[in-house]
Amino acid sequence: MQARILAIPGDGIGEEVMAVTIRVLREVAALTVETAEAGYGRWQRLGATIDEGDVERARKSDGVLFGCTATPSPPPSTYRSPILRLRRSLGLSVNIRHCRSATGHPMDVVMLRDCSEGLYSEAEHPTPDGAMAEYIVTRAATERLARAAAAIAKRRKGEVTVVHKANVLRRTDGLFRQVAAETLEAAGVAWNEAIADAAGYHLVMEPDRYDVMIMTSQVGDILSDVGAAVAGGLGLVPSLSLGDGPPLAEPIHGSAPDIAGQGIADPTAMLLSAVLLLDELELPRPAEAIRTAVHSHLAERLDTDPPTSTEEIGRDIVDRISL
Ligand code: IPM
Ligand code: MG
């Protein structure tokens, strides 16, 4: 049976990087790729960022490829983030982000963040003088995150850094730290810890200091952008979310309205996200073929005349694929 993938390009450069990715996937893997619309563009036309039926199609698929969507700031009251909606509907909680440099620079860090709770639970309330947000940490989600980190660490250096702010958030991050440590110990993986702000500093100053890191949702959102900057750019970092339902792969970058429509977006992060999805679907041959082609492209992009358009990059990567 062919795996059935639902591809949701989203807004801005999402369309451009997804088009290249679908073309490359069709080149290497026998997959059924269907598409669905989501994002700000859809909200402006139809008043909802994603159709219920498409959320259901995502749930019934074998895997979802998500591009990126634009969010107006501040979002209108009827605007709901489609990615948060999808992650919740698919029961996804472990978001894996691989910040790996394409240059000789020593960054190669796997960050795992919870994406089901923390500060991104969308549980916000007005107060008489302002507003408050709930910061939610549970044992179950923390254990899941730490188990996933342990499995990855066993294939790497065997050590996980628990990133937290338990010096201030004693109950919530205190619980995160404790449950993560217990779970890692039970899995036979060494652990150490870093305070979130110091981790940001050290990622920049000493990029080979960390190997596998776990953290709550907002810390991971911020540190993965820092990691991407050190690794060479937001256009390079893929991610994969795992949980109860089908896996969802997405680049960590946004819809980049400043360059959207110009055909110059880097499709690398979207392509490497598709590779993570293929790995998860146990399709190692096409996964390896794309991974090798992307890495060979990146290695040469540095010392040759760099291809500047999404189209050219896509063509160069397709040319490098050998099955
Ligand atoms: C990202 C984004 C999302 C996240 C937001 C839009 C929910 O910032 O993918 O990094 O934090 O996961
Ligand atoms: Mg982000």
Side-chain angles (χ1 to χ4, degrees):
M1 265 280 277
Q2 281 191 0
R4 284 181 32 252
I5 306 293
L6 185 67
I8 306 176
D11 300 305
I13 63 166
E15 291 280 352
E16 300 161 51
V17 297
M18 186 66 85
V20 169
T21 304
I22 293 177
R23 176 142 43 86
V24 172
L25 280 176
R26 294 212 161 115
E27 199 75 28
V28 298
L31 301 167
T32 307
V33 184
E34 293 173 14
T35 57
E37 190 189 356
Y40 186 42
R42 189 181 190 284
W43 180 85
Q44 283 173 308
R45 278 194 301 113
L46 301 165
T49 52
I50 188 163
D51 179 66
E52 272 312 306
D54 288 336
V55 173
E56 202 44 39
R57 282 167 76 208
R59 272 154 44 114
K60 290 193 176 132
S61 72
D62 293 309
V64 179
L65 275 177
F66 189 87
C68 42
T69 52
T71 308
S73 195
S77 63
T78 60
Y79 184 95
R80 294 277 171 278
S81 161
I83 188 61
L84 291 178
R85 179 73 217 289
L86 279 166
R87 288 178 188 158
R88 196 163 299 140
S89 306
L90 304 182
L92 303 173
S93 73
V94 175
N95 182 215
I96 306 168
R97 305 187 149 193
H98 194 173
C99 300
R100 179 177 168 183
S101 170
T103 65
H105 207 273
M107 166 149 293
D108 181 356
V109 179
V110 182
M111 296 187 189
L112 293 95
R113 61 187 280 240
D114 167 80
C115 65
S116 61
E117 49 185 37
L119 258 184
Y120 290 180
S121 320
E122 294 184 294
E124 292 189 292
H125 316 282
T127 61
D129 188 36
M132 61 172 281
E134 290 177 32
Y135 181 51
I136 300 169
V137 176
T138 65
R139 282 178 194 279
T142 309
E143 279 171 12
R144 252 194 319 266
L145 189 71
R147 277 200 298 270
I152 291 173
K154 283 182 181 170
R155 302 196 297 267
R156 293 172 58 98
K157 296 185 180 163
E159 191 162 27
V160 174
T161 303
V162 180
V163 184
H164 61 78
K165 198 77 190 175
N167 49 337
V168 183
L169 302 165
R170 294 192 199 186
R171 272 187 195 275
T172 46
D173 273 17
L175 182 74
F176 181 79
R177 177 189 176 280
Q178 181 201 329
V179 173
E182 286 167 5
T183 310
L184 292 166
E185 279 167 21
V189 165
W191 68 280
N192 53 46
E193 59 193 306
I195 303 294
D197 50 350
Y201 176 82
H202 287 301
L203 276 169
V204 174
M205 299 302 282
E206 216 183 311
D208 59 352
R209 182 183 179 105
Y210 304 117
D211 190 58
V212 177
M213 308 170 87
I214 63 173
M215 53 205 99
T216 57
S217 61
Q218 189 181 40
V219 173
D221 189 17
I222 296 169
L223 290 193
S224 56
D225 272 31
V226 174
V230 177
L234 276 173
L236 298 177
V237 179
S239 88
L240 182 71
S241 297
L242 303 174
D244 301 328
L248 180 149
E250 53 171 327
I252 77 162
H253 61 67
S255 62
D258 50 333
I259 60 161
Q262 297 177 32
I264 56 169
D266 187 347
T268 302
M270 186 75 245
L271 279 163
L272 290 175
S273 301
V275 168
L276 297 179
L277 183 61
L278 293 174
D279 278 336
E280 189 59 29
L281 297 175
E282 297 181 359
L283 295 166
R285 246 182 113 232
E288 209 38 50
I290 304 178
R291 186 184 278 120
T292 308
V294 170
H295 287 158
S296 135
H297 161 82
L298 289 175
E300 284 185 29
R301 193 199 274 192
L302 306 165
D303 33 352
T304 60
D305 201 19
T308 46
S309 78
T310 314
E311 182 64 32
E312 273 179 290
I313 297 175
R315 210 173 321 120
D316 185 69
I317 289 171
V318 169
D319 287 346
R320 288 169 194 269
I321 289 175
S322 63
L323 280 166

